[in-house]
Amino acid sequence: METARLIQSSVKPATGYSRNSKSQPAASHRKAITSPLDKPVQYVRGVGPHRARLLASLDIRTVGEMIEYFPFRHAEQGRPQAIETLQLNEPATIVGIVDSVYKRGGFGKPTVNIKLSDGTGTMRATWFNASFISDKLARGQVLRLFGTVGEYDGLAQLNNPSIEWLDPDDDPATWDYSKIVPVYRATKGLPSQQIARLIDTALAEALPAIKETLPQSICDNRRLLSRTEAIEQMHHPSSMSNLTPSRHRLAYEEFFMMQLAISLQRRWSTTYAKAPKLPTNNRIDQRIRQRFPFNLTDAQNRVINDITADIAAERPMTRLLQGDVGSGKTVVALYAALVAVANHRQCAILAPTEVLAAQHFNNIEKYLEGSQVNRCLLTGKTPKAQRDKMLQAVVDGKMNLIVGTQALLEQKVRFTSLGLVIVDEQHKFGVSQRATLRGKGNDKSKSHAHLVPHYLVMTATPIPRTLSMTVFGDLDVSIIDELPPGRQTIHTQIIKPKDETGAWLEVRRRIADGDQAYIVYPLVEESDVFDLKAATVEVDRVKRNSLPGARVGLMHGRMKKNEKQKVMHEFTKGKLDALVSTTVIEVGIDVPNATIMVIQHADRYGLSALHQLRGRVGRGSKPSICLLMTDSKGAIAGQRLNILCETNDGFRIAEEDLRIRGPGELLGTRQHGWPEFRVANLVEDVDILMQARDDAAQIVHQDPGLKSPQHADLKAELRRRFRDKVAFIDVG
Ligand code: ADP
Ligand code: MG
């Protein structure tokens, strides 16, 4: 029963040796075990059901996962020093004899205090919440302790030191050694030291079962450690410098497996999947361009060339369109959509929220006024009768252009001749929906059933090259790197607390001129009551102190959709002077009359998030400004924000974000659908990534289906890692 519960709670992508254990109940599973690596941790000596639960909270369910739970750092325990030489606040190792043991505190959470001496002096060691240790200490024991030196009551003291029991009968000379200690990310009830002990037990059993996953030729060419050696050294490096080749090997492996999966997937979709050809000609091009009241920028034209070349071919397009906020992506998307319609194919445009879908639709309506293209907005809010009518028109093939939200992904929507799917802000969807969409294709009863649509993803989050190669690795990339002419650059300024009065005066001045303001306040979205209260308090504060007399609205993530829409509508119509909001306004909202944005506690956001936020202003003809309020005294926070004042280049900002905060922050943690890297680092290991990419491409080139016997293990490993994405591996 115990294990069954653990199994059900596992929703994360495959990162370990867990394929079998996650999909079968424990009892039948035990018979099916073939490798010690698949053994559930519960059956490792010293674990049991309680600790198995704690380990599961760290995503460790099998022995294989356990030995791949690597330390996040290693502590160097020097050789023992004499107690009389201890220095306050320095790390120290000592060996001493226990003189006395005191226990205080109640059940389960005793504090244990010992005194020990080594001939040069006496000191104390204290463990808090030390149920795991309280019964094991006794007078006369010889202990080796490691920790940071503190002081209490005139004696040196180590708090919660790591501990090792030495054999009093041993020659004391054998106690004089240094060692490297792995430090693991711990959890409540399971400190690093205990994790270390359990991992050691698991390692002893599992090491002989570890198989080399990389082809031998690659290990030789790239001079990689064997997998066994790398894993062992990660936990117990023979020296600190030996960590580097171990990390290198494991990072390479992670990159390589992912690149291989991506290459195979790509190869598969270009070989087997077919999309309708959607060619453009002069007549079509002219008719579409007439719809726009401006000339397209060079960047827009270049990107349109990429897209039209792609969709004219049978090979399904999978292209990522990146462009800063306001760079004119929607116009490009509409161009592509109209090419599809001109070819008598349907096009679906999807946005992450209803507000954005509606906005896309309204924009598109502006350009399509008087056109014969049949278009509709289909969201969860569309009234049933209307919705049914639209759906019918979609199935009949009469509806050409369908704008909507995820509601369009529901099974009920059946297209007749879907030729192109355009997704805005795709990373908010995640990869799994992408697969749904791709599989969607067309109504099987119709003649186009065998065709899949072309696929265009738009994002305003500039995605650094390393990320687009990995997370979005199966997409081609086009970039709009130029803003339409006459666009105002947004003047950005950092506001320290002493300058706040001036900042609010500027907001008031602009409101008096008839402009509107965004005031962004960092609330954890979908969070608790506390934040909600904070938001309300904040609105009151703004109304009363900062902008007296102004019409101030509030929008946050906990509001119902229609409430949000109502507030947004009032703001758009100019019925509100200022909108206090959380980052729910982050994407796509377009109110040209809003010319000033105040971002409170700006230091709490990622740079890319701030860059996107400020893109909400500067959308009209008036000069716009963004004020980043921060009371952070940290020099680093200041430096980070300075980049926003210096540049409007979203890519530079994103690179900086990636460097400082890592990919999870940039894309939203775990939203991209690939397992997180355990060892590899997308910023520091770019060279390794490039090597892995080349090697993977070469293998796919030689053996696109991984059919050769020498690749059998590799194929099995891919299946293990990407079990829900293996269709393309088996078909190839
Ligand atoms: P994005 O979707 O990239 O944020 P949009 O396509 O919504 O950008 O365009 C932002 C604004 O710029 C819109 O008001 C649009 O009409 C305008 N625009 C787009 N392309 C051009 C162009 N080539 N010249 C002038 N204005 C343009
Ligand atoms: Mg847009």
Side-chain angles (χ1 to χ4, degrees):
M1 207 52 236
E2 208 61 74
T3 319
R5 186 131 43 94
L6 295 181
I7 290 162
Q8 276 167 12
S9 71
S10 96
V11 290
K12 301 267 167 61
T15 50
Y17 292 83
S18 50
R19 192 157 188 233
N20 298 324
S21 67
K22 281 182 185 173
S23 54
Q24 295 175 17
S28 64
H29 172 68
R30 280 172 87 175
K31 278 181 232 140
I33 289 171
T34 49
S35 160
L37 299 172
D38 291 329
K39 185 163 103 172
V41 280
Q42 178 169 354
Y43 307 115
V44 171
R45 189 159 41 82
V47 179
H50 175 65
R51 282 191 178 149
R53 250 197 316 271
L54 294 174
L55 288 167
S57 75
L58 298 171
D59 273 339
I60 303 172
R61 293 180 177 77
T62 63
V63 168
E65 284 173 343
M66 189 135 169
I67 62 172
E68 282 192 64
Y69 191 76
F70 297 121
F72 70 93
R73 70 182 178 90
H74 292 82
E76 266 185 295
Q77 290 188 6
R79 292 159 52 175
Q81 61 185 100
I83 289 175
E84 67 173 357
T85 67
L86 292 179
Q87 298 282 329
L88 198 61
N89 298 327
E90 293 291 320
T93 309
I94 65 105
V95 169
I97 300 167
V98 179
D99 297 327
S100 58
V101 179
Y102 307 96
K103 283 175 225 174
R104 278 186 287 114
F107 294 101
K109 294 196 171 178
T111 297
V112 183
N113 225 300
I114 63 172
K115 265 191 190 161
L116 66 175
S117 54
D118 69 351
T120 72
T122 299
M123 64 175 296
R124 244 193 232 106
T126 303
W127 290 268
F128 304 97
N129 290 342
S131 52
F132 68 99
I133 213 169
S134 60
D135 297 330
K136 296 184 190 145
L137 290 167
R139 197 178 139 83
Q141 289 176 337
V142 180
L143 302 181
R144 179 183 159 109
L145 302 180
F146 172 76
T148 302
V149 180
E151 187 183 12
Y152 182 73
D153 222 3
L155 280 186
Q157 167 160 316
L158 296 176
N159 286 332
N160 292 321
S162 68
I163 180 169
E164 201 178 327
W165 282 265
L166 302 176
D167 186 342
D169 296 333
D170 277 352
D171 177 355
T174 63
W175 300 338
D176 184 24
Y177 57 88
S178 66
K179 66 176 184 177
I180 299 171
V181 180
V183 184
Y184 298 93
R185 190 165 59 82
T187 187
K188 199 159 176 276
L190 203 57
S192 166
Q193 231 186 326
Q194 268 183 66
I195 296 176
R197 264 199 297 278
L198 299 176
I199 287 181
D200 285 349
T201 310
L203 266 180
E205 265 180 61
L207 271 182
I210 296 175
K211 280 209 238 168
E212 183 52 68
T213 47
L214 296 172
Q216 194 52 48
S217 60
I218 288 183
C219 289
D220 295 346
N221 289 343
R222 299 296 185 191
R223 296 163 191 272
L224 300 173
L225 288 187
S226 75
R227 184 171 164 76
T228 313
E229 195 178 350
I231 289 178
E232 193 177 16
Q233 289 282 318
M234 281 297 275
H235 295 288
H236 295 293
S238 39
S239 72
M240 285 303 234
S241 61
N242 273 357
L243 276 172
T244 311
S246 313
R247 271 202 72 249
H248 184 109
R249 141 84 209 200
L250 294 164
Y252 177 95
E253 177 183 301
E254 285 182 306
F255 281 142
F256 176 80
M257 294 299 168
M258 178 184 251
Q259 290 300 313
L260 196 58
I262 286 169
S263 280
L264 288 167
Q265 186 171 41
R266 195 181 179 107
R267 177 92 180 196
W268 179 80
S269 64
T270 56
T271 311
Y272 293 93
K274 301 242 181 303
K277 292 182 184 173
L278 306 173
T280 320
N281 56 32
N282 265 336
R283 199 174 51 82
I284 294 176
D285 177 68
Q286 288 311 316
R287 274 178 49 192
I288 296 176
R289 282 175 196 270
Q290 273 172 18
R291 292 266 147 217
F292 304 125
F294 40 69
N295 288 324
L296 299 187
T297 62
D298 290 346
Q300 283 171 320
N301 280 324
R302 188 166 34 75
V303 167
I304 284 175
N305 283 341
D306 290 345
I307 295 169
T308 50
D310 278 0
I311 62 179
E314 207 170 39
R315 181 195 147 202
M317 170 175 76
T318 41
R319 187 168 283 280
L320 178 66
L321 172 57
Q322 298 184 48
D324 231 335
V325 281
S327 61
K329 292 183 296 297
T330 310
V331 167
V332 169
L334 181 59
Y335 185 106
L338 293 177
V339 172
V341 174
N343 281 278
H344 309 290
R345 298 286 165 162
Q346 292 169 307
C347 173
I349 300 183
L350 306 183
T353 65
E354 295 187 351
V355 173
L356 286 174
Q359 189 173 291
H360 270 308
F361 187 70
N362 293 338
N363 270 339
I364 288 171
E365 280 296 278
K366 232 170 37 193
Y367 298 119
L368 291 188
E369 210 187 317
S371 134
Q372 293 182 0
V373 173
N374 280 319
R375 64 263 183 196
C376 68
L377 174 66
L378 189 60
T379 68
K381 270 191 61 204
T382 313
K384 178 151 180 0
Q386 208 180 337
R387 183 184 171 80
D388 288 346
K389 237 168 80 188
M390 288 175 182
L391 289 173
Q392 191 55 47
V394 173
V395 174
D396 291 346
K398 291 193 190 110
M399 192 56 76
N400 307 119
L401 183 54
I402 302 100
V403 181
T405 58
Q406 280 98 328
L408 278 191
L409 300 181
E410 283 167 20
Q411 291 304 315
K412 274 172 280 173
V413 185
R414 305 202 311 188
F415 294 89
T416 311
S417 56
L418 188 60
L420 173 65
V421 173
I422 299 173
V423 182
D424 191 16
E425 302 290 349
Q426 187 253 2
H427 60 275
K428 310 247 150 133
F429 281 102
V431 174
S432 56
Q433 271 107 338
R434 196 162 103 208
T436 320
L437 250 190
R438 230 193 235 142
K440 180 136 211 107
N442 293 303
D443 189 333
K444 296 285 178 283
S445 62
K446 298 287 181 357
S447 57
H448 309 293
H450 62 291
L451 296 176
V452 301
H454 294 285
Y455 190 81
L456 179 69
V457 185
M458 302 193 285
T459 175
T461 305
I463 297 172
R465 180 103 187 95
T466 42
L467 273 190
S468 60
M469 272 172 51
T470 49
V471 176
F472 295 101
D474 59 339
L475 302 177
D476 292 308
V477 179
S478 293
I479 298 169
I480 306 184
D481 51 7
E482 177 189 356
L483 292 179
R487 190 58 56 78
Q488 304 292 330
T489 52
I490 302 153
H491 176 75
T492 301
Q493 212 177 319
I494 295 172
I495 305 292
K496 297 277 176 197
K498 65 178 167 49
D499 304 322
E500 272 191 27
T501 314
W504 288 115
L505 276 176
E506 176 66 19
V507 180
R508 285 194 213 183
R509 199 177 58 72
R510 289 194 175 229
I511 289 178
D513 284 353
D515 292 5
Q516 286 164 287
Y518 292 109
I519 294 150
V520 183
Y521 188 78
L523 299 171
V524 183
E525 258 163 68
E526 290 136 53
S527 171
D528 44 25
V529 199
F530 174 77
D531 276 334
L532 225 53
K533 223 171 105 191
T536 329
V537 170
E538 181 58 19
V539 174
D540 283 347
R541 205 177 67 87
V542 169
K543 277 187 186 160
R544 206 168 308 139
N545 304 337
S546 313
L547 304 173
R551 296 165 300 170
V552 181
L554 169 68
M555 188 159 93
H556 59 74
R558 293 274 291 212
M559 279 161 66
K560 296 222 172 65
K561 275 175 190 159
N562 56 346
E563 292 173 337
K564 268 192 257 183
Q565 246 157 355
K566 189 164 157 270
V567 174
M568 206 52 232
H569 187 75
E570 285 177 356
F571 189 68
T572 312
K573 288 278 172 280
K575 291 187 180 136
L576 293 173
D577 299 313
L579 184 63
V580 175
S581 111
T582 63
T583 51
V584 287
I585 56 153
E586 187 176 333
V587 268
I589 300 297
D590 197 357
V591 181
N593 194 48
T595 67
I596 186 163
M597 175 176 282
V598 177
I599 302 179
Q600 316 222 39
H601 303 287
D603 45 285
R604 295 192 201 165
Y605 296 88
L607 295 174
S608 288
L610 289 171
H611 181 64
Q612 294 227 12
L613 275 171
R614 72 176 167 180
R616 299 306 111 217
V617 293
R619 300 182 79 84
S621 53
K622 284 198 200 166
S624 293
I625 86 176
C626 174
L627 303 174
L628 304 174
M629 291 193 171
T630 169
D631 52 8
S632 165
K633 289 170 193 68
I636 297 181
Q639 252 171 34
R640 280 179 56 221
L641 294 179
N642 267 331
I643 293 165
L644 290 166
C645 305
E646 285 161 16
T647 182
N648 266 299
D649 179 349
F651 281 89
R652 246 198 74 197
I653 292 164
E655 298 273 357
E656 193 61 22
D657 235 4
L658 185 61
R659 207 174 59 73
I660 302 172
R661 291 156 54 108
E665 292 285 342
L666 195 62
L667 293 177
T669 308
R670 283 183 186 271
Q671 275 185 346
H672 47 67
W674 291 100
E676 302 259 292
F677 294 120
R678 283 166 188 248
V679 179
N681 178 312
L682 280 167
V683 180
E684 275 149 30
D685 300 329
V686 174
D687 292 347
I688 306 178
L689 171 60
M690 296 301 177
Q691 291 181 354
R693 194 165 104 110
D694 289 350
D695 294 346
Q698 205 178 340
I699 289 200
V700 174
H701 178 73
Q702 288 162 357
D703 183 9
L706 295 189
K707 292 209 162 103
S708 109
Q710 80 189 61
H711 291 149
D713 287 347
L714 195 54
K715 199 165 169 172
E717 178 66 15
L718 278 181
R719 221 173 267 142
R720 179 178 82 74
R721 286 183 188 237
F722 308 117
R723 65 199 143 104
D724 49 345
K725 302 186 179 65
V726 289
F728 57 90
I729 299 172
D730 291 327
V731 173

